[in-house]
Amino acid sequence: MLYVIFAEDNSDSLEKRSAVRPAHLARLQLLQDEGRLIVAGPMPAVDSNEPGVAGFSGSVIIAEFQSLEQAKAWADADPYIAAGVYQQVTVRPFKRVF
């Protein structure tokens, strides 16, 4: 089943994001390689693809997991959580229509 992982950043998270981004992307690449990643990306804090020092307000990931528990466990192990980038992460089942 698909699950959406919606993560909200702490304020002033840009430096922390930058420091652990390679580890964060490596985990996403594994999902991509397994054919389980639908979409993933950050949400700019301003209306621009290149937000500069404004940084990001969070991230969205939609991926396939065997259960909600597995999706939550995967999300909980994200390097952005350990580094203090995210203040809150919500994981919910997602039904793809289009």
Side-chain angles (χ1 to χ4, degrees):
M1 180 163 188
L2 295 178
Y3 296 88
V4 62
I5 300 168
F6 179 78
E8 297 176 76
D9 279 23
N10 283 304
S11 59
D12 299 322
S13 63
L14 187 57
E15 187 175 316
K16 293 174 185 175
R17 262 183 177 271
S18 298
V20 295
R21 187 170 188 256
H24 173 76
L25 293 180
R27 294 180 79 238
L28 290 169
Q29 186 63 56
L30 289 174
L31 285 179
Q32 177 72 21
D33 293 347
E34 294 170 355
R36 297 170 42 206
L37 183 63
I38 304 303
V39 67
M43 297 179 295
V46 295
D47 191 13
S48 173
N49 281 328
E50 299 297 330
V53 296
F56 300 92
S57 62
S59 302
V60 173
I61 299 166
I62 299 176
E64 183 179 351
F65 294 93
Q66 290 186 4
S67 68
L68 179 59
E69 292 77 22
Q70 285 187 358
K72 286 181 177 181
W74 188 90
D76 287 345
D78 195 301
Y80 281 175
I81 290 178
V85 173
Y86 294 152
Q87 67 171 313
Q88 182 174 340
V89 177
T90 304
V91 181
R92 297 281 187 264
F94 180 79
K95 181 180 176 185
R96 185 179 193 171
V97 175
F98 292 100

PDB file of all heavy atoms in Angstrom, residues 53-79:
ATOM      1  N   VAL A  53      18.221  31.353   1.360  1.00  0.00           N
ATOM      2  CA  VAL A  53      18.325  31.331   2.823  1.00  0.00           C
ATOM      3  C   VAL A  53      16.977  31.131   3.507  1.00  0.00           C
ATOM      4  O   VAL A  53      16.937  30.804   4.689  1.00  0.00           O
ATOM      5  CB  VAL A  53      19.008  32.607   3.366  1.00  0.00           C
ATOM      6  CG1 VAL A  53      20.444  32.691   2.882  1.00  0.00           C
ATOM      7  CG2 VAL A  53      18.231  33.848   2.996  1.00  0.00           C
ATOM      8  N   ALA A  54      15.866  31.299   2.758  1.00  0.00           N
ATOM      9  CA  ALA A  54      14.538  31.041   3.346  1.00  0.00           C
ATOM     10  C   ALA A  54      14.387  29.564   3.691  1.00  0.00           C
ATOM     11  O   ALA A  54      13.657  29.200   4.602  1.00  0.00           O
ATOM     12  CB  ALA A  54      13.427  31.481   2.398  1.00  0.00           C
ATOM     13  N   GLY A  55      15.085  28.707   2.957  1.00  0.00           N
ATOM     14  CA  GLY A  55      15.068  27.277   3.246  1.00  0.00           C
ATOM     15  C   GLY A  55      13.762  26.597   2.905  1.00  0.00           C
ATOM     16  O   GLY A  55      13.066  26.982   1.966  1.00  0.00           O
ATOM     17  N   PHE A  56      13.444  25.602   3.697  1.00  0.00           N
ATOM     18  CA  PHE A  56      12.300  24.742   3.424  1.00  0.00           C
ATOM     19  C   PHE A  56      11.407  24.634   4.655  1.00  0.00           C
ATOM     20  O   PHE A  56      11.868  24.741   5.787  1.00  0.00           O
ATOM     21  CB  PHE A  56      12.785  23.354   2.988  1.00  0.00           C
ATOM     22  CG  PHE A  56      13.630  23.417   1.752  1.00  0.00           C
ATOM     23  CD1 PHE A  56      15.003  23.526   1.832  1.00  0.00           C
ATOM     24  CD2 PHE A  56      13.046  23.393   0.508  1.00  0.00           C
ATOM     25  CE1 PHE A  56      15.791  23.617   0.691  1.00  0.00           C
ATOM     26  CE2 PHE A  56      13.810  23.486  -0.647  1.00  0.00           C
ATOM     27  CZ  PHE A  56      15.187  23.598  -0.553  1.00  0.00           C
ATOM     28  N   SER A  57      10.132  24.392   4.408  1.00  0.00           N
ATOM     29  CA  SER A  57       9.180  24.266   5.518  1.00  0.00           C
ATOM     30  C   SER A  57       8.884  22.817   5.860  1.00  0.00           C
ATOM     31  O   SER A  57       8.245  22.531   6.862  1.00  0.00           O
ATOM     32  CB  SER A  57       7.877  24.994   5.181  1.00  0.00           C
ATOM     33  OG  SER A  57       7.276  24.410   4.040  1.00  0.00           O
ATOM     34  N   GLY A  58       9.334  21.887   5.018  1.00  0.00           N
ATOM     35  CA  GLY A  58       9.092  20.479   5.269  1.00  0.00           C
ATOM     36  C   GLY A  58       9.359  19.642   4.036  1.00  0.00           C
ATOM     37  O   GLY A  58       9.963  20.109   3.074  1.00  0.00           O
ATOM     38  N   SER A  59       8.881  18.412   4.084  1.00  0.00           N
ATOM     39  CA  SER A  59       9.078  17.458   2.986  1.00  0.00           C
ATOM     40  C   SER A  59       7.849  16.586   2.830  1.00  0.00           C
ATOM     41  O   SER A  59       7.107  16.372   3.794  1.00  0.00           O
ATOM     42  CB  SER A  59      10.274  16.543   3.275  1.00  0.00           C
ATOM     43  OG  SER A  59      11.457  17.263   3.460  1.00  0.00           O
ATOM     44  N   VAL A  60       7.685  16.050   1.619  1.00  0.00           N
ATOM     45  CA  VAL A  60       6.627  15.085   1.336  1.00  0.00           C
ATOM     46  C   VAL A  60       7.252  13.882   0.634  1.00  0.00           C
ATOM     47  O   VAL A  60       8.047  14.039  -0.297  1.00  0.00           O
ATOM     48  CB  VAL A  60       5.526  15.688   0.443  1.00  0.00           C
ATOM     49  CG1 VAL A  60       4.524  14.623   0.020  1.00  0.00           C
ATOM     50  CG2 VAL A  60       4.821  16.824   1.150  1.00  0.00           C
ATOM     51  N   ILE A  61       6.889  12.717   1.105  1.00  0.00           N
ATOM     52  CA  ILE A  61       7.314  11.469   0.471  1.00  0.00           C
ATOM     53  C   ILE A  61       6.077  10.608   0.315  1.00  0.00           C
ATOM     54  O   ILE A  61       5.297  10.460   1.260  1.00  0.00           O
ATOM     55  CB  ILE A  61       8.357  10.718   1.342  1.00  0.00           C
ATOM     56  CG1 ILE A  61       9.605  11.578   1.541  1.00  0.00           C
ATOM     57  CG2 ILE A  61       8.690   9.350   0.749  1.00  0.00           C
ATOM     58  CD1 ILE A  61      10.529  11.087   2.637  1.00  0.00           C
ATOM     59  N   ILE A  62       5.895  10.039  -0.863  1.00  0.00           N
ATOM     60  CA  ILE A  62       4.854   9.029  -1.071  1.00  0.00           C
ATOM     61  C   ILE A  62       5.566   7.789  -1.556  1.00  0.00           C
ATOM     62  O   ILE A  62       6.274   7.820  -2.574  1.00  0.00           O
ATOM     63  CB  ILE A  62       3.778   9.485  -2.075  1.00  0.00           C
ATOM     64  CG1 ILE A  62       3.077  10.744  -1.568  1.00  0.00           C
ATOM     65  CG2 ILE A  62       2.760   8.353  -2.292  1.00  0.00           C
ATOM     66  CD1 ILE A  62       2.066  11.329  -2.537  1.00  0.00           C
ATOM     67  N   ALA A  63       5.407   6.707  -0.806  1.00  0.00           N
ATOM     68  CA  ALA A  63       6.122   5.473  -1.116  1.00  0.00           C
ATOM     69  C   ALA A  63       5.295   4.265  -0.692  1.00  0.00           C
ATOM     70  O   ALA A  63       4.356   4.378   0.096  1.00  0.00           O
ATOM     71  CB  ALA A  63       7.476   5.454  -0.412  1.00  0.00           C
ATOM     72  N   GLU A  64       5.696   3.126  -1.197  1.00  0.00           N
ATOM     73  CA  GLU A  64       5.011   1.870  -0.898  1.00  0.00           C
ATOM     74  C   GLU A  64       5.690   1.155   0.275  1.00  0.00           C
ATOM     75  O   GLU A  64       6.916   1.020   0.306  1.00  0.00           O
ATOM     76  CB  GLU A  64       5.041   0.960  -2.125  1.00  0.00           C
ATOM     77  CG  GLU A  64       4.298  -0.332  -1.942  1.00  0.00           C
ATOM     78  CD  GLU A  64       4.335  -1.204  -3.192  1.00  0.00           C
ATOM     79  OE1 GLU A  64       4.787  -0.730  -4.247  1.00  0.00           O
ATOM     80  OE2 GLU A  64       3.930  -2.367  -3.092  1.00  0.00           O
ATOM     81  N   PHE A  65       4.871   0.741   1.225  1.00  0.00           N
ATOM     82  CA  PHE A  65       5.330  -0.053   2.366  1.00  0.00           C
ATOM     83  C   PHE A  65       4.322  -1.166   2.591  1.00  0.00           C
ATOM     84  O   PHE A  65       3.183  -1.080   2.135  1.00  0.00           O
ATOM     85  CB  PHE A  65       5.449   0.807   3.631  1.00  0.00           C
ATOM     86  CG  PHE A  65       6.515   1.866   3.536  1.00  0.00           C
ATOM     87  CD1 PHE A  65       6.213   3.147   3.098  1.00  0.00           C
ATOM     88  CD2 PHE A  65       7.823   1.574   3.873  1.00  0.00           C
ATOM     89  CE1 PHE A  65       7.188   4.125   2.993  1.00  0.00           C
ATOM     90  CE2 PHE A  65       8.816   2.547   3.778  1.00  0.00           C
ATOM     91  CZ  PHE A  65       8.490   3.827   3.335  1.00  0.00           C
ATOM     92  N   GLN A  66       4.704  -2.200   3.326  1.00  0.00           N
ATOM     93  CA  GLN A  66       3.801  -3.317   3.580  1.00  0.00           C
ATOM     94  C   GLN A  66       2.732  -2.984   4.607  1.00  0.00           C
ATOM     95  O   GLN A  66       1.687  -3.619   4.635  1.00  0.00           O
ATOM     96  CB  GLN A  66       4.587  -4.544   4.013  1.00  0.00           C
ATOM     97  CG  GLN A  66       5.394  -5.140   2.881  1.00  0.00           C
ATOM     98  CD  GLN A  66       6.071  -6.439   3.272  1.00  0.00           C
ATOM     99  OE1 GLN A  66       5.894  -6.943   4.373  1.00  0.00           O
ATOM    100  NE2 GLN A  66       6.852  -6.986   2.364  1.00  0.00           N
ATOM    101  N   SER A  67       3.002  -1.988   5.460  1.00  0.00           N
ATOM    102  CA  SER A  67       2.034  -1.643   6.498  1.00  0.00           C
ATOM    103  C   SER A  67       2.295  -0.225   6.990  1.00  0.00           C
ATOM    104  O   SER A  67       3.376   0.338   6.760  1.00  0.00           O
ATOM    105  CB  SER A  67       2.138  -2.607   7.682  1.00  0.00           C
ATOM    106  OG  SER A  67       3.384  -2.420   8.350  1.00  0.00           O
ATOM    107  N   LEU A  68       1.326   0.314   7.682  1.00  0.00           N
ATOM    108  CA  LEU A  68       1.484   1.631   8.301  1.00  0.00           C
ATOM    109  C   LEU A  68       2.622   1.609   9.312  1.00  0.00           C
ATOM    110  O   LEU A  68       3.414   2.552   9.392  1.00  0.00           O
ATOM    111  CB  LEU A  68       0.163   2.052   8.974  1.00  0.00           C
ATOM    112  CG  LEU A  68       0.157   3.399   9.689  1.00  0.00           C
ATOM    113  CD1 LEU A  68       0.495   4.544   8.739  1.00  0.00           C
ATOM    114  CD2 LEU A  68      -1.197   3.635  10.354  1.00  0.00           C
ATOM    115  N   GLU A  69       2.731   0.538  10.049  1.00  0.00           N
ATOM    116  CA  GLU A  69       3.802   0.418  11.043  1.00  0.00           C
ATOM    117  C   GLU A  69       5.174   0.474  10.377  1.00  0.00           C
ATOM    118  O   GLU A  69       6.097   1.113  10.893  1.00  0.00           O
ATOM    119  CB  GLU A  69       3.651  -0.871  11.861  1.00  0.00           C
ATOM    120  CG  GLU A  69       2.432  -0.880  12.764  1.00  0.00           C
ATOM    121  CD  GLU A  69       1.114  -1.136  12.028  1.00  0.00           C
ATOM    122  OE1 GLU A  69       1.123  -1.705  10.906  1.00  0.00           O
ATOM    123  OE2 GLU A  69       0.067  -0.727  12.561  1.00  0.00           O
ATOM    124  N   GLN A  70       5.320  -0.208   9.237  1.00  0.00           N
ATOM    125  CA  GLN A  70       6.607  -0.177   8.531  1.00  0.00           C
ATOM    126  C   GLN A  70       6.896   1.205   7.979  1.00  0.00           C
ATOM    127  O   GLN A  70       8.041   1.666   8.012  1.00  0.00           O
ATOM    128  CB  GLN A  70       6.642  -1.227   7.429  1.00  0.00           C
ATOM    129  CG  GLN A  70       6.820  -2.624   7.943  1.00  0.00           C
ATOM    130  CD  GLN A  70       7.011  -3.631   6.822  1.00  0.00           C
ATOM    131  OE1 GLN A  70       6.978  -3.295   5.643  1.00  0.00           O
ATOM    132  NE2 GLN A  70       7.216  -4.886   7.193  1.00  0.00           N
ATOM    133  N   ALA A  71       5.868   1.876   7.473  1.00  0.00           N
ATOM    134  CA  ALA A  71       6.049   3.235   6.957  1.00  0.00           C
ATOM    135  C   ALA A  71       6.487   4.172   8.083  1.00  0.00           C
ATOM    136  O   ALA A  71       7.396   4.997   7.908  1.00  0.00           O
ATOM    137  CB  ALA A  71       4.767   3.726   6.304  1.00  0.00           C
ATOM    138  N   LYS A  72       5.850   4.048   9.247  1.00  0.00           N
ATOM    139  CA  LYS A  72       6.215   4.885  10.386  1.00  0.00           C
ATOM    140  C   LYS A  72       7.638   4.591  10.852  1.00  0.00           C
ATOM    141  O   LYS A  72       8.395   5.507  11.176  1.00  0.00           O
ATOM    142  CB  LYS A  72       5.234   4.692  11.536  1.00  0.00           C
ATOM    143  CG  LYS A  72       3.899   5.359  11.300  1.00  0.00           C
ATOM    144  CD  LYS A  72       2.959   5.151  12.481  1.00  0.00           C
ATOM    145  CE  LYS A  72       1.643   5.871  12.273  1.00  0.00           C
ATOM    146  NZ  LYS A  72       0.723   5.703  13.398  1.00  0.00           N
ATOM    147  N   ALA A  73       8.000   3.324  10.900  1.00  0.00           N
ATOM    148  CA  ALA A  73       9.348   2.955  11.328  1.00  0.00           C
ATOM    149  C   ALA A  73      10.394   3.516  10.361  1.00  0.00           C
ATOM    150  O   ALA A  73      11.447   4.015  10.789  1.00  0.00           O
ATOM    151  CB  ALA A  73       9.470   1.434  11.438  1.00  0.00           C
ATOM    152  N   TRP A  74      10.096   3.434   9.074  1.00  0.00           N
ATOM    153  CA  TRP A  74      11.022   3.986   8.073  1.00  0.00           C
ATOM    154  C   TRP A  74      11.148   5.495   8.270  1.00  0.00           C
ATOM    155  O   TRP A  74      12.259   6.039   8.276  1.00  0.00           O
ATOM    156  CB  TRP A  74      10.528   3.659   6.663  1.00  0.00           C
ATOM    157  CG  TRP A  74      11.521   4.034   5.602  1.00  0.00           C
ATOM    158  CD1 TRP A  74      12.514   3.245   5.090  1.00  0.00           C
ATOM    159  CD2 TRP A  74      11.620   5.306   4.945  1.00  0.00           C
ATOM    160  NE1 TRP A  74      13.224   3.954   4.158  1.00  0.00           N
ATOM    161  CE2 TRP A  74      12.696   5.225   4.047  1.00  0.00           C
ATOM    162  CE3 TRP A  74      10.903   6.488   5.030  1.00  0.00           C
ATOM    163  CZ2 TRP A  74      13.078   6.279   3.233  1.00  0.00           C
ATOM    164  CZ3 TRP A  74      11.289   7.555   4.227  1.00  0.00           C
ATOM    165  CH2 TRP A  74      12.356   7.450   3.335  1.00  0.00           C
ATOM    166  N   ALA A  75      10.030   6.174   8.438  1.00  0.00           N
ATOM    167  CA  ALA A  75      10.047   7.623   8.628  1.00  0.00           C
ATOM    168  C   ALA A  75      10.791   8.005   9.907  1.00  0.00           C
ATOM    169  O   ALA A  75      11.556   8.980   9.922  1.00  0.00           O
ATOM    170  CB  ALA A  75       8.620   8.167   8.653  1.00  0.00           C
ATOM    171  N   ASP A  76      10.597   7.252  10.960  1.00  0.00           N
ATOM    172  CA  ASP A  76      11.255   7.540  12.241  1.00  0.00           C
ATOM    173  C   ASP A  76      12.776   7.417  12.161  1.00  0.00           C
ATOM    174  O   ASP A  76      13.487   8.028  12.961  1.00  0.00           O
ATOM    175  CB  ASP A  76      10.735   6.611  13.337  1.00  0.00           C
ATOM    176  CG  ASP A  76       9.325   6.962  13.786  1.00  0.00           C
ATOM    177  OD1 ASP A  76       8.846   8.073  13.477  1.00  0.00           O
ATOM    178  OD2 ASP A  76       8.693   6.099  14.439  1.00  0.00           O
ATOM    179  N   ALA A  77      13.267   6.631  11.218  1.00  0.00           N
ATOM    180  CA  ALA A  77      14.710   6.411  11.082  1.00  0.00           C
ATOM    181  C   ALA A  77      15.377   7.416  10.141  1.00  0.00           C
ATOM    182  O   ALA A  77      16.569   7.295   9.860  1.00  0.00           O
ATOM    183  CB  ALA A  77      14.967   4.978  10.598  1.00  0.00           C
ATOM    184  N   ASP A  78      14.639   8.403   9.679  1.00  0.00           N
ATOM    185  CA  ASP A  78      15.194   9.383   8.743  1.00  0.00           C
ATOM    186  C   ASP A  78      16.292  10.202   9.412  1.00  0.00           C
ATOM    187  O   ASP A  78      16.121  10.669  10.542  1.00  0.00           O
ATOM    188  CB  ASP A  78      14.084  10.314   8.255  1.00  0.00           C
ATOM    189  CG  ASP A  78      14.503  11.102   7.035  1.00  0.00           C
ATOM    190  OD1 ASP A  78      15.500  11.852   7.115  1.00  0.00           O
ATOM    191  OD2 ASP A  78      13.846  10.967   5.998  1.00  0.00           O
ATOM    192  N   PRO A  79      17.425  10.394   8.744  1.00  0.00           N
ATOM    193  CA  PRO A  79      18.507  11.208   9.314  1.00  0.00           C
ATOM    194  C   PRO A  79      18.071  12.633   9.656  1.00  0.00           C
ATOM    195  O   PRO A  79      18.643  13.252  10.553  1.00  0.00           O
ATOM    196  CB  PRO A  79      19.562  11.223   8.201  1.00  0.00           C
ATOM    197  CG  PRO A  79      19.300   9.977   7.420  1.00  0.00           C
ATOM    198  CD  PRO A  79      17.812   9.773   7.473  1.00  0.00           C
TER     199      PRO A  79
END
